[in-house]
Amino acid sequence: MGMYRKKPVVIEAMQFHGSKDSANQVLAWMGWHSADARRASMVRPEDGILISTLEGEMLAASGDWIIRGVQGEFYPCKPEIFAATYEFVGELGEPHVPRLLTLADSEADLAGTPRPAA
């Protein structure tokens, strides 16, 4: 029998705070990744967010963390489990949008000449 260590994995996560603003932020982030999620109640945001996961629909309650896994899947995680499992490594910032190449960029690449930083 062998011994194995779990590989370190960096994930994206956002905590749901039970407010309308928090629900909007979480749903916008998940929507940007084409995830299937919605408010459990349109009147009471504190009722949570329903998330379609690989195991079926799950409810994220106020205080839960919403995790985007290594294959792009989303699921809720209770704060105690999140704190015991994950540590903060830094901010992700805005979604990365690749810069469009111009003809000059392509010609510089072909010639092997460095271009000024954008």
Side-chain angles (χ1 to χ4, degrees), residues 8-72:
V9 174
V10 176
I11 52 93
E12 293 176 47
M14 180 178 279
Q15 192 170 27
F16 171 55
H17 298 288
S19 69
K20 181 179 178 180
D21 286 341
S22 181
N24 288 341
Q25 289 173 355
V26 169
L27 291 169
W29 170 58
M30 293 179 70
W32 192 82
H33 291 289
S34 301
D36 184 15
R38 68 186 187 286
R39 287 190 184 97
S41 166
M42 292 305 290
V43 178
R44 298 172 33 101
E46 64 273 13
D47 286 349
I49 297 173
L50 292 169
I51 302 169
S52 292
T53 73
L54 299 174
E55 290 81 32
E57 197 166 69
M58 298 180 78
L59 178 68
S62 182
D64 287 355
W65 286 85
I66 294 34
I67 295 173
R68 182 170 181 250
V70 296
Q71 296 180 334

Side-chain angles (χ1 to χ4, degrees), residues 67-90:
I67 295 173
R68 182 170 181 250
V70 296
Q71 296 180 334
E73 75 282 11
F74 284 89
Y75 54 93
C77 181
K78 292 295 177 197
E80 314 79 52
I81 304 294
F82 189 86
T85 308
Y86 298 99
E87 64 183 351
F88 181 73
V89 296

Side-chain angles (χ1 to χ4, degrees), residues 32 91-97:
W32 192 82
E91 291 292 333
L92 181 62
E94 293 300 314
H96 175 71
V97 178

